[in-house]
Amino acid sequence: MSRMIINGGVPLSGSVTVQGAKNSVLPIMAAAVLTGGKTVIHNCPRISDVECSLRILDHLGCVARWEGDGVYIDTGTMTGSTIPDDLMGDLRSSVIFMGAVLARTGRVRFSPPGGCEIGPRPIDLHLEAMKRLGASAVSDKGSIICRADRLHGAVIELRFPSVGATENAMIAAAGCCELTVIKNAAAEPEISDLAEYLRKAGASVTGDGTGTIEIRGGRFEKSVVHEIIPDRIVTATYLAATAATGGHVRVEGTRPDHLGAVLEALSRMGCEVETGNGTIVLDAGRGLVSPGVVVTGPYPRFPTDAQPLLMAACLKARGETVFEETVFENRFRHVPEMIRMGADISVKGHRAAVRGVNTLRGAEVSAGELRGCAALIAAALSADGESTVGGIKYLDRGYDGLCRGLRALGADIRRID
Ligand code: UD1
């Protein structure tokens, strides 16, 4: 089993460039299905979730392959409408293909994603949106089949601004020529990236980045070229690791405007944060204090994906930090592992209280999910002595060369496969 061996205690320093956003590229790969033409996606991270999306496209009869710094997709040859169970299981966000395949073929069959590492991941909001657009959904031998002879425009009001449900609704709505209005929509930067792709493809999309998105489909372009936005959670990972080690790092190729709540929390901790055009410089050399209470929430609030990462940076910060997780039910799986390193953390329901300690010690720990794995690596970098971090298969889902990036910043880290 793959693991990272880390000798902690070295403050990170230098500069690092951030990869393209995982959470942008996956829905855009699904949306490519809609166009029936060619899509070239640049700045695409080499991660296993993208590999899995390529396999889904291949299974549907599309041409889909890595090319240069990105992927090439031609959905003109698509024949299928079933997403196989093993691929649904490998990639939780494969549910994002639902709206695209339904809008393109009038039918989609898939198995519902089960409970996952960070809590149950229901798809009721996704299905509700498809129904509003005129689709039916039935269960059949453990699978869900959605059908629609013709999708129509609708007003879709989401109970919660779910990122995935907003994306599914946007993609399906772009498949019909009447107006669709999505209310209480998610406003994450990845939603705007998808909107930008759909606009380039020929749809009319307005209001992305706000709670109300209006979409009308059109004639699709036969060829779309799109560059993925920088990954804000990977940026947060480098920043958190720098803070945890008391380092001084310049992150390049990023979007500081996508990281408001994260940068604000790091500033409250006593980090000096300087932002420029595509750059963030973080200096944590003056010691850290607790940022107080950190409450996760939909964008632009503090991202749930950055919660384990900021927690890693708070383990040695003076005072008590309280994390309140409001998005997912089971997002403290990294806590027992951090405690093995000597962290002082208590969890009650969806709140975790971290009391800063003077030192952490290297330990053998194992991650149970993607961001938790990156957080354990950040914690290990700030611990004295050697740590072994297991569960690296989760890291591979979302990070393209994190070990290489950290080594370039002076970290003593190596991967064993
Ligand atoms: C996306 C991101 C993930 C991030 C999350 C929240 C991708 C590939 N993943 O996940 O990294 O942590 O947004 O920012 O983009 N919910 C329902 N019913 C539904 C759908 C969701 O109750 O039909 C609930 C979920 O259980 C969860 C909350 O809504 O409690 C947020 O989920 P959602 O925004 O949908 O997250 P994802 O799109 O799965």
Side-chain angles (χ1 to χ4, degrees), residues 102-175:
L102 176 66
R104 172 85 189 273
T105 68
R107 178 189 182 275
V108 59
R109 182 187 184 110
F110 60 96
S111 55
C116 88
E117 313 90 20
I118 54 176
R121 281 185 129 165
I123 56 165
D124 54 317
L125 297 171
H126 299 244
L127 292 172
E128 203 52 47
M130 296 308 120
K131 287 182 190 162
R132 297 287 304 167
L133 292 167
S136 66
V138 292
S139 299
D140 177 53
K141 301 188 200 90
S143 291
I144 294 175
I145 303 174
C146 290
R147 280 202 184 86
D149 290 338
R150 187 184 152 275
L151 292 175
H152 56 68
V155 175
I156 299 168
E157 180 142 17
L158 297 174
R159 165 172 52 77
F160 179 87
S162 153
V163 174
T166 301
E167 290 165 344
N168 245 327
M170 287 169 73
I171 296 170

Side-chain angles (χ1 to χ4, degrees), residues 229-282:
I229 57 170
D231 196 308
R232 63 197 165 100
I233 306 302
V234 173
T235 302
T237 304
Y238 283 115
L239 296 177
T242 303
T245 60
H248 184 170
V249 161
R250 177 186 177 90
V251 183
E252 295 181 341
T254 185
R255 285 283 300 263
D257 55 320
H258 291 169
L259 281 136
V262 172
L263 297 182
E264 199 204 301
L266 288 164
S267 298
R268 288 206 305 274
M269 294 178 73
C271 298
E272 263 179 49
V273 180
E274 227 177 81
T275 61
N277 187 12
T279 61
I280 302 172
V281 179
L282 184 129

Side-chain angles (χ1 to χ4, degrees), residues 30 38 68 91 93 95 126 157 176 193 204 208 224-225 269-271 287 290 320 372 376 389-390 414:
K38 298 180 177 63
L91 176 70
S93 53
V95 71
H126 299 244
E157 180 142 17
C176 52
D193 207 19
S204 151
D208 50 289
V224 186
V225 178
M269 294 178 73
C271 298
S290 151
E320 183 178 274
L376 291 177
V389 179
R414 72 197 146 91

Side-chain angles (χ1 to χ4, degrees), residues 165-188:
T166 301
E167 290 165 344
N168 245 327
M170 287 169 73
I171 296 170
C176 52
C177 50
E178 295 137 27
L179 177 71
T180 291
V181 182
I182 307 171
K183 296 185 173 174
N184 200 23
E188 270 69 1

